[in-house]
Amino acid sequence: MATGHEANAPTAGEYIVHHLTHFNTTHEAQKSIVDWSVLNLDSIFWSVAIGVITLFFLWRAASKATSGVPGRFQAAVEFIVEMVADQAKGIVHSAESRKFVAPLALTVFIWIFLMNAMDLLPVDLLPRIWQAMNGNEHAFLRVVPTADLNITLGMSVGVLLICLYYNIKIKGLGGWVHELFAAPFGDKWFLYPVNFLMQLIEFAAKTISHGMRLFGNMYAGELLFMLIALMGATWGSGGVAGPLLFLGHVVAGSLWAIFHILIITLQAFIFMMLTLVYVGQAHESH
């Protein structure tokens, strides 16, 4: 961060607040983590752009597939496809449903993995490019869509809608409504309000925890990268502390990035697996 204008350089707190502020329709910091009255344009842009990349990746894999000896790219894609298909087969027992659910799970896994992987880019790289394009040193830009709770909750709500669809498709509207009032404590009229309340709580808990689990892990990882980046800001300061902290920045950043590869993969896998589990539960009767 040392630029030769240290007098005007932001403090550590200002640096983190700046990097945690979205480019949104108000062009200022949100007053809460979740605010659906404000559109976070950066999260929308990057999630859509990475979604397009995901579809291109899948299309290219399908168009290049051959029956002969696969290349590295095809082998990697086939490994992922088989892994997802095996998981879907073990959880969703309807072969008809798996025709949609398995490709959905595959898309979710790759899409979330790529969105998570944006966290591996240098913290200041894309924001600095964005600031240069705007000619404004205070321009905001966050590039990890899954570190935005609005995005992760939006995806979990999408999974909820799919579960509701399969509940109605598999059990029929009447059968599902009956299940809402008859489970989990039994088909007794005096238990209907309790059963219905428990069902609503279950749907809400699944949806909220589904989105918040991904957000919490990615937000924490993003924040840790910012703290590590602050260590590199001491380069050029007087004494021995500056170079030592910069060395610590390089070492800690490298080690955390390597470990973070496991985290971004694991979080994509967990979100995909929970999607399959929730859809599978929608096929089952209580």
Side-chain angles (χ1 to χ4, degrees), residues 103-118:
L104 170 68
L106 176 65
T107 303
V108 165
F109 176 73
I110 297 177
W111 186 28
I112 293 179
F113 173 80
L114 293 178
M115 286 194 289
N116 291 350
M118 294 293 287

Side-chain angles (χ1 to χ4, degrees), residues 35-50:
D35 187 353
W36 281 322
S37 66
V38 176
L39 293 178
N40 292 336
L41 300 178
D42 45 12
S43 294
I44 295 173
F45 171 80
W46 290 112
S47 59
V48 171
I50 296 170

Side-chain angles (χ1 to χ4, degrees), residues 56-139:
F56 174 78
F57 174 84
L58 296 173
W59 167 80
R60 184 168 179 81
S63 64
K64 294 293 184 180
T66 63
S67 57
V69 178
R72 293 180 180 178
F73 176 71
Q74 182 178 335
V77 172
E78 288 180 355
F79 172 79
I80 297 174
V81 171
E82 290 176 3
M83 180 270 293
V84 174
D86 289 342
Q87 297 296 334
K89 188 175 182 179
I91 297 173
V92 181
H93 302 300
S94 171
E96 182 65 26
S97 296
R98 286 200 303 273
K99 293 179 181 179
F100 171 78
V101 175
L104 170 68
L106 176 65
T107 303
V108 165
F109 176 73
I110 297 177
W111 186 28
I112 293 179
F113 173 80
L114 293 178
M115 286 194 289
N116 291 350
M118 294 293 287
D119 217 2
L120 298 176
L121 295 175
V123 171
D124 290 304
L125 177 61
L126 293 178
R128 286 291 177 85
I129 294 175
W130 176 244
Q131 289 173 0
M133 291 172 59
N134 278 271
N136 180 6
E137 62 177 337
H138 299 295

Side-chain angles (χ1 to χ4, degrees), residues 18-232:
H18 178 85
H19 279 282
L20 290 178
T21 303
H22 287 279
F23 174 68
N24 52 40
T25 50
T26 66
H27 301 293
E28 60 184 23
Q30 293 176 216
K31 295 180 174 59
S32 62
I33 294 178
V34 180
D35 187 353
W36 281 322
S37 66
V38 176
L39 293 178
N40 292 336
L41 300 178
D42 45 12
S43 294
I44 295 173
F45 171 80
W46 290 112
S47 59
V48 171
I50 296 170
V52 172
I53 293 173
T54 300
L55 294 177
F56 174 78
F57 174 84
L58 296 173
W59 167 80
R60 184 168 179 81
S63 64
K64 294 293 184 180
T66 63
S67 57
V69 178
R72 293 180 180 178
F73 176 71
Q74 182 178 335
V77 172
E78 288 180 355
F79 172 79
I80 297 174
V81 171
E82 290 176 3
M83 180 270 293
V84 174
D86 289 342
Q87 297 296 334
K89 188 175 182 179
I91 297 173
V92 181
H93 302 300
S94 171
E96 182 65 26
S97 296
R98 286 200 303 273
K99 293 179 181 179
F100 171 78
V101 175
L104 170 68
L106 176 65
T107 303
V108 165
F109 176 73
I110 297 177
W111 186 28
I112 293 179
F113 173 80
L114 293 178
M115 286 194 289
N116 291 350
M118 294 293 287
D119 217 2
L120 298 176
L121 295 175
V123 171
D124 290 304
L125 177 61
L126 293 178
R128 286 291 177 85
I129 294 175
W130 176 244
Q131 289 173 0
M133 291 172 59
N134 278 271
N136 180 6
E137 62 177 337
H138 299 295
F140 302 114
L141 182 69
R142 290 184 64 181
V143 301
V144 185
T146 45
D148 182 356
L149 187 55
N150 299 277
I151 295 295
T152 58
L153 281 182
M155 291 190 292
S156 64
V157 169
V159 173
L160 172 65
L161 295 177
I162 293 172
C163 291
L164 297 180
Y165 165 78
Y166 276 109
N167 268 299
I168 297 173
K169 179 181 179 180
I170 300 299
K171 304 164 188 175
L173 180 59
W176 179 57
V177 171
H178 177 266
E179 183 179 89
L180 286 177
F181 290 91
F185 297 121
D187 190 4
K188 304 292 184 180
W189 67 267
F190 55 86
L191 292 175
Y192 287 171
V194 178
N195 287 332
F196 183 67
L197 180 61
M198 292 299 295
Q199 290 278 359
L200 292 183
I201 293 174
E202 180 181 354
F203 279 119
K206 287 179 179 177
T207 302
I208 294 173
S209 63
H210 198 190
M212 290 196 68
R213 180 182 289 104
L214 176 60
F215 158 76
N217 282 276
M218 297 313 302
Y219 186 88
E222 185 183 36
L223 185 59
L224 191 53
F225 272 123
M226 293 177 191
L227 294 174
I228 293 174
L230 283 171
M231 295 173 65

Side-chain angles (χ1 to χ4, degrees), residues 233-253:
T234 59
W235 180 258
S237 61
V240 180
L244 287 178
L245 282 173
F246 182 81
L247 178 61
H249 154 78
V250 174
V251 174

